[in-house]
């Protein structure tokens, strides 16, 4: 079976529709056909300041949401990144193979550091993509299911893997990005040209999966659209409506052309009202399942412990091979 690896940050508590439609939904599908490794990436979370108590709670909450979304620990390996020390260990090696200029070109870093301000930007935030390189290569992943915003980091991973392989001999699988075209980028409902994001300036355009359905309905109903009346997919002229159609289509499995037909002659209000119901119907069982996992922290922690055990075997083997290639003397 080909292998996949992906991760999600535990920050901000609830996942949003962009996380689910862009990434997690594919993770659920891929566990059926792939040897799948999925991580709650808490080491990445601390690249910006986190309250320790909140981080611990949101890490468990992230795991609970992943299980509620359909990850099955019998079908995939679900683990917490900090449980596997090899991530940080391999990241150091990868830091020494990544150019300063190369890392400086990462657009996510430029965006996030601009938001933080120069003084508050940490070296950790700068080397975050390199830690991601290590996350992926440790598991010899063939592909990495992510949203469009991660494409550049996967390209970096490929470049660094090839560099390592050519310098030291073949060691790492060179992975490719697995990005679903339709849901590669879900947009902010208030600004349908910007990505829906946990760190958006305002939560108004971000549909959190754990929001009360009333709250999500309000956000959907006040989504920014164009001044026209026609419900048609047109990314350029109608980015707001197109975004709503994509969300509607992926949550229901109805094709966009069918939705266009279904809503021919109807107003934007009808589409928004129905989409609010579609989202409410999807999130109701999701919220309930998340709550159930949270109420049973022992089970949750033991799922994560089993995941860590499985992940560690693979990670330790890869790290040992990489250390050997680099020329480190083995520890006796
Ligand atoms: N809007 C989106 N559309 C499609 N996919 C998205 N992803 C995130 N936003 C969208 C994908 O979700 C996965 C997990 O992302 P992450 O843990 O790196 O989350 P993040 O980047 O912290 O999430 P945000 O909301 O995008 O936060 P900020 O604002 O901090 O950048 C990834 O596969 C990502 O592609």
């Amino acid at each position: 079976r080909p292998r996949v690896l992906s991760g999600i940050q535990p920050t901000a508590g609830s996942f949003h529709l962009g996380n689910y439609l862009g990434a997690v939904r594919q993770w659920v599908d891929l566990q059926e056909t792939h040897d799948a490794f999925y991580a709650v990436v808490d080491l990445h979370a601390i690249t910006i300041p986190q309250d320790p108590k909140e981080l611990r709670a949101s890490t468990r909450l992230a795991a609970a949401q992943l299980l509620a979304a359909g990850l099955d620990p019998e079908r995939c390996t679900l683990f917490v990144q900090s449980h596997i020390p090899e991530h940080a260990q391999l990241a150091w090696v990868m830091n020494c193979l990544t150019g300063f200029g190369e890392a400086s070109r990462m657009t996510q870093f430029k965006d996030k550091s601009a938001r933080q301000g120069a003084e508050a930007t940490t070296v950790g935030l700068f080397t975050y993509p390199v830690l991601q390189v290590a996350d992926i290569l440790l598991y010899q992943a063939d592909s990495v299911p992510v949203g469009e915003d991660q494409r550049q980091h996967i390209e970096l991973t490929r470049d660094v893997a090839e560099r390592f392989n050519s310098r030291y001999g073949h060691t790492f699988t060179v992975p490719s990005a697995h990005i679903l075209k339709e849901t590669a980028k879900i947009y902010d409902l208030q600004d349908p040209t910007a990505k829906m994001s946990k760190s958006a300036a305002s939560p108004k355009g971000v549909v959190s999966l754990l929001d009360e359905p009333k709250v999500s309905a309000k956000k959907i109903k006040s989504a920014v659209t164009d001044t026209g009346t026609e419900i048609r997919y047109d990314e350029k002229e109608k980015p707001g409506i197109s975004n709503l159609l994509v969300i509607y289509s992926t949550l229901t499995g109805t094709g966009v052309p069918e939705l266009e037909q279904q809503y021919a002659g109807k107003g934007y209000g009808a589409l928004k009202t129905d989409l609010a119901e579609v989202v409410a119907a999807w999130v109701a069982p999701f919220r309930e399942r998340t709550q159930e996992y949270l109420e049973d922290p022992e089970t949750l922690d033991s799922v994560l412990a089993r995941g860590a055990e499985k992940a560690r075997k693979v990670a330790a083997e890869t790290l040992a091979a990489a250390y050997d290639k680099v020329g480190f003397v083995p520890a006796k």
Side-chain angles (χ1 to χ4, degrees):
R1 277 183 155 206
R3 191 170 280 168
V4 291
L5 173 288
S6 198
I8 189 159
Q9 291 200 63
T11 34
S14 177
F15 297 161
H16 56 67
L17 268 179
N19 295 136
Y20 176 66
L21 297 177
V24 177
R25 195 175 55 104
Q26 356 174 21
W27 298 10
V28 176
D29 291 342
L30 289 166
Q31 67 183 344
E32 306 300 336
T33 48
H34 287 65
D35 187 14
F37 287 79
Y38 301 126
V40 178
V41 289
D42 52 351
L43 298 180
H44 286 280
I46 63 162
T47 53
I48 52 173
Q50 302 294 336
D51 174 78
K53 238 168 104 186
E54 274 174 30
L55 178 62
R56 219 179 322 275
S58 61
T59 300
R60 290 201 174 95
L61 178 59
Q65 289 177 88
L66 290 174
L67 294 167
L71 290 192
D72 175 355
E74 300 299 323
R75 292 189 160 77
C76 69
T77 302
L78 173 63
F79 65 100
V80 174
Q81 186 188 27
S82 63
H83 291 176
I84 316 291
E86 285 81 358
H87 286 255
Q89 292 174 294
L90 186 63
W92 178 254
V93 176
M94 296 308 168
N95 271 321
C96 299
L97 277 171
T98 306
F100 183 80
E102 197 175 24
S104 308
R105 286 193 290 275
M106 296 296 116
T107 55
Q108 287 238 349
F109 171 72
K110 288 191 213 167
D111 292 349
K112 290 192 180 183
S113 57
R115 256 183 267 145
Q116 294 285 308
E119 283 309 307
T121 296
T122 65
V123 175
L125 187 66
F126 182 66
T127 62
Y128 171 127
V130 187
L131 177 57
Q132 205 175 328
V133 168
D135 297 340
I136 297 166
L137 299 185
L138 261 184
Y139 297 92
Q140 306 285 8
D142 298 287
S143 62
V144 190
V146 285
E148 180 62 38
D149 59 334
Q150 293 297 327
R151 189 186 289 279
Q152 195 186 26
H153 292 169
I154 313 302
E155 282 303 317
L156 175 71
T157 307
R158 293 173 58 85
D159 291 345
V160 176
E162 278 165 2
R163 195 170 304 150
F164 188 104
N165 287 347
S166 74
R167 192 170 300 178
Y168 298 112
H170 185 82
T171 311
F172 295 110
T173 303
V174 179
S176 49
H178 187 281
I179 300 174
L180 291 182
K181 200 165 157 269
E182 321 80 68
T183 51
K185 193 167 176 184
I186 300 295
Y187 295 89
D188 188 292
L189 300 189
Q190 286 298 313
D191 176 4
T193 55
K195 135 184 135 151
M196 187 178 284
S197 161
K198 284 177 200 145
S199 43
S202 151
K204 275 196 191 155
V206 181
V207 178
S208 293
L209 302 182
L210 297 174
D211 272 353
E212 288 286 341
K214 261 202 281 185
V215 175
S216 312
K218 197 167 165 206
K219 289 178 179 175
I220 293 166
K221 284 178 189 165
S222 49
V224 167
T225 46
D226 53 274
T227 51
T229 52
E230 200 189 346
I231 295 178
R232 172 170 57 84
Y233 184 89
D234 182 338
E235 250 176 280
K236 276 222 174 79
E237 302 296 324
K238 294 173 164 288
I241 287 296
S242 301
N243 191 37
L244 297 180
L245 283 170
V246 167
I247 296 171
Y248 197 142
S249 163
T250 25
L251 285 179
T252 57
T254 316
V256 169
E258 283 162 85
L259 288 176
E260 287 173 336
Q261 265 187 2
Q262 197 177 315
Y263 284 94
K266 294 189 184 164
Y268 291 173
L271 177 74
K272 289 176 172 179
T273 305
D274 291 353
L275 178 58
E277 270 171 35
V278 164
V279 170
W282 190 87
V283 298
F286 171 84
R287 282 160 48 100
E288 222 170 274
R289 285 195 296 266
T290 302
Q291 198 48 42
E292 280 166 20
Y293 286 113
L294 287 179
E295 280 164 11
D296 186 1
E298 262 174 47
T299 304
L300 191 61
D301 285 358
S302 76
V303 164
L304 296 174
R306 252 190 303 141
E309 204 182 309
K310 284 201 274 173
R312 184 119 201 233
K313 277 203 189 104
V314 180
E317 199 182 308
T318 310
L319 183 77
Y323 270 22
D324 181 57
K325 291 278 177 67
V326 168
F328 294 157
V329 173
K332 279 281 171 236

